[in-house]
């Protein structure tokens, strides 16, 4: 995340906005990862039962 902020600052972008977007992206990943893992686990279980 620090590399993104450094690049944003160096390129003249608004670092506060870039940080907010990166933080929202990180929180979305942390929130959705368990749901995705659960969904993939149930799909794998259905796949092995068919086989």
């Amino acid at each position: 995340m620090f590399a993104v902020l450094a690049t944003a600052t160096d390129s003249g972008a608004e670092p506060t906005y870039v940080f907010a977007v990166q933080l929202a992206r990180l929180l979305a990943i942390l929130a959705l990862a368990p749901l995705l893992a659960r969904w993939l686990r149930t799909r794998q279980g259905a796949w092995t039962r068919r086989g």
Side-chain angles (χ1 to χ4, degrees), residues 1-3 6 9-11 14-15 18 20 23-29 31-32 34-35 39 41-42 44 46 49 51:
M1 195 175 308
F2 294 117
T9 303
D10 196 38
S11 66
E14 181 67 35
V18 172
L23 183 62
R25 186 176 142 242
L26 176 65
L27 293 175
I29 290 169
L32 294 176
L35 298 173
W39 180 71
R41 187 178 59 208
T42 57
Q44 182 185 18
R49 279 183 254 145

